[in-house]
Amino acid sequence: METMGHSKKCPDLKTYYKRETSTCEFCSLRPGFEVTDNCGLDDVGGRHEFHFRECKANFTFNDGSGAYCKNCSSCPPGENIWSPCSTTADTTCQPSGSTTAVPVPVTVSMDGRKYTSMIPTSTFLSNSKKSLTDKQSGSKNDYVGLQWTVPLVILISIMVAGICAFLIYKKRKRGQKTVLSYSRRSSYINAGFSPLSALPGNNDLEHILSPNILSAPLQTVLDNLDVLEELVILLDPESQGVKNTKHLASHCSFTATWITYTYSMKESKSPLKAVLEGVTSRNPDWTVGHLAKLLRHMERNDAIAVLSKLGLNVIQV
C-alpha cells in the first residue's frame, strides 16, 4: 500500500529517510508544533514543506512528548477552567466547589504577545452567597469578611496592573533608545553596501562561531535546509520590538518597495530566502561572517546561534 507522505522508503510518516545511513530516522520534536509528513523530505533529499507545522491555538496542543498536536480537552460538568489550553499545554480544570482560590485571568499585551496572570479571588463567589444569607439572618462576622474580601481583590488587581504598567514603560524606554540609535544609522542604510568594518568586529563572534563557519560562503546557509528553516522561523515573523527579515533586507540596501512585495508573497516563498538569494547574487564573495555581523548589529544572537549548526558533521537531508 502506497503511503501518502513524501518518502516511499519510510512508511511511518513520523520518520524520514537518512541517506548517509540508509535508515529511517524519527523526526525531531518541538513543543507547540507537530511534524509534517516524513519531516517534509523525500528519499533523495528534496524538501517539500517545512519540518514543523504549528498547533492551532485554543484547539490543539503539543507539549513536546509526541509528534502530533492533540485536541484540547474540555472541562466536564461541575468543573471550571483553571488555565486555558495553549499550543504547548492542555486545559487544566478545577472543581467548581473547591475551597481553593478561583483564578481570574488578567491579560497584558507586550511586544505583540499576550501574557496572562492568574489572580486568586479567595473563593469570592462562595463568600458572596454566604454573606447574603448571613446578612438576612443578622450575622455580622461573615458580612465583615465579605467587606474585606472585595477590597483585597481590588488591591491585588491594582498591584498586578501597576507592575505590568511599569514593565511596559521600561520596555518602551528601551524601544525609544533603539529607534534613536537606528535613526542615527539611517545614512548608513541608505548609502548602500557600506564597508562592514563599521559593524562590530569578529572578536565577539568567534566566541560563538568557528573561523571555518565565519569564512564559509553565504551560499552555505541556503544549501543547509535545516539551518535555513530555523532562521526562517526566527526572522520572518513580524513582532513588535524585535528586528526581523525586513531590517536585514534594509541593511542589505533592498528598497522598501521590494521588501513590501517580498512580504506580500510570503505564503509562497520565505522573505528571508529571497533576501539571501539576492545578496549571494549581487555579492558572491559574501561569507557567513558578513551575515553574522548584520545579525549581531540587529541584536539577534538567537539567529547567530543557529548559524553555529553549520559546523555540525551530521546534517539532516
Side-chain angles (χ1 to χ4, degrees):
M1 180 177 179
E2 186 178 358
T3 64
M4 299 299 291
H6 306 297
S7 172
K8 295 181 179 180
K9 297 182 179 181
C10 299
D12 187 348
L13 299 182
K14 299 187 295 297
T15 64
Y16 71 96
Y17 184 69
K18 190 170 184 179
R19 291 186 297 171
E20 291 88 343
T21 58
S22 300
T23 58
C24 294
E25 300 287 340
F26 281 100
C27 303
S28 58
L29 306 180
R30 177 178 295 181
F33 294 81
E34 64 180 5
V35 298
T36 53
D37 293 348
N38 302 121
C39 314
L41 301 171
D42 59 28
D43 295 333
V44 295
R47 180 169 289 280
H48 298 265
E49 56 184 322
F50 283 154
H51 189 136
F52 300 102
R53 183 186 302 112
E54 189 172 8
C55 298
K56 295 181 180 179
N58 302 321
F59 292 98
T60 60
F61 75 98
N62 187 355
D63 58 8
S65 61
Y68 300 115
C69 299
K70 303 176 183 178
N71 292 328
C72 295
S73 303
S74 299
C75 291
E79 294 190 8
N80 297 322
I81 296 178
W82 172 261
S83 61
C85 181
S86 65
T87 57
T88 57
D90 195 8
T91 307
T92 304
C93 304
Q94 178 184 355
S96 57
S98 174
T99 57
T100 58
V102 178
V104 176
V106 176
T107 303
V108 180
S109 297
M110 295 179 62
D111 297 338
R113 302 177 182 177
K114 293 184 177 180
Y115 301 88
T116 301
S117 299
M118 309 304 291
I119 304 176
T121 60
S122 302
T123 58
F124 172 75
L125 294 177
S126 60
N127 284 343
S128 299
K129 294 180 179 179
K130 181 179 180 181
S131 64
L132 292 175
T133 303
D134 291 341
K135 182 179 179 182
Q136 294 176 351
S137 62
S139 175
K140 295 182 180 180
N141 292 334
D142 291 336
Y143 179 74
V144 172
L146 176 61
Q147 286 182 319
W148 278 103
T149 300
V150 176
L152 181 60
V153 173
I154 295 175
L155 177 61
I156 294 175
S157 301
I158 293 175
M159 291 175 62
V160 172
I163 293 173
C164 293
F166 176 74
L167 293 176
I168 294 174
Y169 172 76
K170 296 290 288 184
K171 200 72 175 180
R172 287 180 177 175
K173 291 291 288 184
R174 289 195 294 268
Q176 290 174 357
K177 293 180 180 179
T178 303
V179 171
L180 289 175
S181 175
Y182 183 77
S183 299
R184 295 191 189 101
R185 300 189 182 101
S186 60
S187 59
Y188 160 75
I189 296 171
N190 295 330
F193 280 86
S194 300
L196 286 175
S197 59
L199 299 177
N202 282 337
N203 293 336
D204 54 348
L205 290 176
E206 290 179 352
H207 294 294
I208 305 175
L209 304 177
S210 67
N212 291 337
I213 295 178
L214 291 172
S215 60
L218 184 59
Q219 182 66 34
T220 307
V221 179
L222 289 168
D223 294 338
N224 192 309
L225 297 179
D226 287 335
V227 170
L228 178 62
E229 178 183 337
E230 290 195 48
L231 291 175
V232 166
I233 293 174
L234 286 175
L235 297 176
D236 274 355
E238 300 180 73
S239 301
Q240 182 180 359
V242 179
K243 294 184 178 180
N244 55 17
T245 299
K246 288 186 175 181
H247 298 82
L248 179 63
S250 179
H251 283 303
C252 293
S253 295
F254 289 100
T255 64
T257 302
W258 184 90
I259 297 172
T260 301
Y261 171 76
T262 303
Y263 263 81
S264 69
M265 303 295 291
K266 183 178 180 181
E267 295 299 325
S268 59
K269 184 174 183 178
S270 161
L272 176 65
K273 184 177 181 182
V275 170
L276 295 179
E277 289 176 346
V279 171
T280 54
S281 176
R282 293 160 59 176
N283 297 270
D285 59 331
W286 269 41
T287 64
V288 177
H290 288 80
L291 175 61
K293 286 182 179 181
L294 292 178
L295 293 174
R296 171 54 59 85
H297 189 59
M298 293 164 53
E299 299 180 351
R300 291 306 302 265
N301 290 341
D302 52 346
I304 295 175
V306 173
L307 293 178
S308 65
K309 298 182 180 180
L310 291 171
L312 297 177
N313 294 326
V314 180
I315 302 176
Q316 288 186 356
V317 294

